Amino acid sequence: MRKIIVCTFLTLDGVMQAPGGPDEDAQSGFEHGGWQKPVADDEVGTAIAGWYESSDAMLLGRKTYEIFASYWPTADPDNPFTDRMNSMHKYVASRTLTSVEWQNSTLLEGDIVDAVRKLKASDDGNINVVGSGDLAQTLMRHDLVDEYRLTIHPVIIGTGKRLFADGAIPTALEPVSVSTTRGGTIVGVYRPSGKPGYDSY
């Protein structure tokens, strides 16, 4: 059974939109694109590299796929991520794309929930969901996420798309590993562990 692992960069107030650059995703008038680099450090990069070493595929929504496909095929070959991003298998969830040209990419057909269940039941390695907020929320609603790998950066944006948006399914999380980099970024790995408990003092 393969694991579906949501790998996401977050601000301290939970925003995941456009960490990589000002033009990455300006939907809904978002003006804070590129917020991650000023608050990242080498330890963050090391942690992210480890996330990719333990998985052999990515699951991407259309927008994230198009951003990656326009960048990584011609990215600096000396960048340690370039070969890994290009060589990993990419599964793409989209209602509008009719083909995917980036090497090792497969366009998922039919209902995305059914398609992901079939992927989970196959015998290959784990699958990282990178970015792709709408897709991640769909997977969360259908109990298809096995693990969250999050970098939570010391910056507050105030607006933008959040990974855990209003209406998220209440879920208890088991911490697998949590550390803080010298720059103040929390690197956390968590696994869903059923429903949250409630009590009073």
Side-chain angles (χ1 to χ4, degrees), residues 25-124:
D25 180 4
Q27 188 173 354
S28 301
F30 188 68
E31 298 178 345
H32 306 289
W35 55 262
Q36 187 203 21
K37 187 173 181 180
V39 291
D41 54 44
D42 290 344
E43 291 175 84
V44 171
T46 299
I48 295 167
W51 295 354
Y52 283 88
E53 288 173 3
S54 62
S55 298
D56 67 2
M58 290 184 286
L59 174 58
L60 306 172
R62 177 192 58 80
K63 186 172 293 184
T64 302
Y65 172 80
E66 290 180 336
I67 292 169
F68 283 10
S70 69
Y71 176 78
W72 287 110
T74 58
D76 181 356
D78 292 329
N79 181 331
F81 282 100
T82 299
D83 181 65
R84 185 68 170 145
M85 296 296 281
N86 287 318
S87 63
M88 287 182 82
H89 199 97
K90 279 76 70 172
Y91 299 103
V92 185
S94 173
R95 298 185 186 91
T96 56
L97 292 177
T98 57
S99 63
V100 285
E101 307 302 326
W102 187 15
Q103 70 184 77
N104 300 323
S105 295
T106 299
L107 184 62
L108 296 176
E109 298 180 352
D111 180 76
I112 184 59
V113 172
D114 289 341
V116 172
R117 285 191 177 122
K118 290 176 182 176
L119 286 177
K120 281 173 65 75
S122 61
D123 294 328
D124 293 321

Side-chain angles (χ1 to χ4, degrees), residues 124-141:
D124 293 321
N126 296 333
I127 303 171
N128 290 349
V129 180
V130 185
S132 310
D134 292 342
L135 172 61
Q137 290 179 20
T138 295
L139 300 177
M140 286 189 280
R141 285 195 298 272

Side-chain angles (χ1 to χ4, degrees), residues 7-12 15-22 24 30-49 51-52 68 72 81 130-131 149-157 181 183-187:
C7 301
T8 303
F9 311 136
L10 301 176
T11 65
L12 191 61
V15 175
M16 64 180 297
Q17 187 168 353
E24 187 175 73
F30 188 68
E31 298 178 345
H32 306 289
W35 55 262
Q36 187 203 21
K37 187 173 181 180
V39 291
D41 54 44
D42 290 344
E43 291 175 84
V44 171
T46 299
I48 295 167
W51 295 354
Y52 283 88
F68 283 10
W72 287 110
F81 282 100
V130 185
R149 298 181 181 180
L150 310 175
T151 59
I152 305 169
H153 298 267
V155 61
I156 293 171
I157 296 298
T181 71
T185 293
I186 298 167
V187 180

